[in-house]
């Protein structure tokens, strides 16, 4: 089944200054932590999980006027990045409902080899306040193919000069 971790639990650690505890109505388990952008602060949740495939979700209370539209979440196995995504915390999560909250998926299915699964939220590069609330991790089947990458996809990178767009 799913496992969840909330700010304030032993699996949650925050670094840097500026974290403000809040009790926003609808926050997962009644409270959350928020931080203004640019201070170099980070929140992380750590899960000791066996090797496998997982879906990772976050929840927060949205606010269009003072939440980041690009809250930088990163999912790691130990110190190795598995996926990262800028999440819009101005709008409500909407990918899954569980344990009294609605959750937004971070990236896609991640595969671990048995190291700790760490989810980090940083204020670096955020365009407004980031909110650390709850993280949910769910076992998932292995991803299936085929896979395709187009020249407009995030997985496509160009180097050197001379590339031009075309519609052949």
């Amino acid at each position: 089944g799913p496992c969840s971790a909330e700010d304030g639990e032993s699996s949650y650690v925050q670094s840097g200054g500026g974290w403000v505890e809040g009790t926003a109505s609808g926050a997962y388990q009644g409270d959350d932590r928020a931080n203004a952008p640019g201070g170099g602060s980070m929140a992380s949740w750590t899960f000791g999980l066996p090797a496998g495939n997982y879906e990772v979700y976050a929840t927060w209370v949205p606010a269009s006027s003072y939440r980041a539209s690009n809250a930088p979440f990163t999912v790691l196995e130990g110190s190795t990045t598995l996926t990262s995504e800028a999440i819009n915390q101005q709008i409500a999560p909407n990918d899954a409902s569980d344990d009294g909250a609605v959750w937004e998926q971070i990236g896609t299915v991640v595969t671990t080899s048995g190291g700790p699964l760490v989810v980090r939220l940083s204020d670096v590069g955020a365009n407004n306040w980031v909110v650390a609330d709850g993280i949910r991790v769910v076992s998932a089947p292995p991803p299936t193919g085929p896979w395709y990458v187009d020249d407009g996809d995030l997985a496509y990178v160009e180097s050197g000069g001379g590339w031009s767009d075309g519609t052949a």
Side-chain angles (χ1 to χ4, degrees):
C3 56
S4 302
E6 203 257 331
D7 62 286
E9 294 180 354
S10 61
S11 64
Y12 172 83
V13 175
Q14 63 192 36
S15 64
W19 290 99
V20 178
E21 184 171 359
T23 55
S25 175
Y28 182 59
Q29 297 185 1
D31 68 343
D32 59 13
R33 309 266 195 299
N35 201 320
S41 298
M42 185 174 2
S44 65
W45 299 257
T46 301
F47 298 83
L49 299 170
N53 301 299
Y54 297 96
E55 294 174 343
V56 180
Y57 298 85
T59 190
W60 62 87
V61 176
S64 62
S65 62
Y66 58 91
R67 297 277 194 261
S69 65
N70 64 342
F73 282 88
T74 303
V75 180
L76 308 101
E77 180 174 11
S79 61
T80 302
T81 299
L82 301 176
T83 189
S84 59
E85 185 172 349
I87 302 285
N88 187 349
Q89 291 188 318
Q90 295 177 350
I91 60 175
N94 63 3
D95 288 333
S97 294
D98 186 48
D99 199 24
V102 181
W103 304 87
E104 185 74 19
Q105 188 170 0
I106 300 171
T108 57
V109 173
V110 295
T111 302
T112 68
S113 59
L117 185 71
V118 179
V119 180
R120 288 187 182 153
L121 170 62
S122 172
D123 67 353
V124 175
N127 60 11
N128 216 327
W129 286 75
V130 296
V131 177
D133 194 358
I135 298 294
R136 174 180 180 259
V137 179
V138 181
S139 292
T144 59
W147 295 276
Y148 303 93
V149 176
D150 184 52
D151 60 326
D153 294 343
L154 290 176
Y156 173 80
V157 177
E158 296 174 354
S159 64
W163 293 97
S164 62
D165 291 332
T167 54

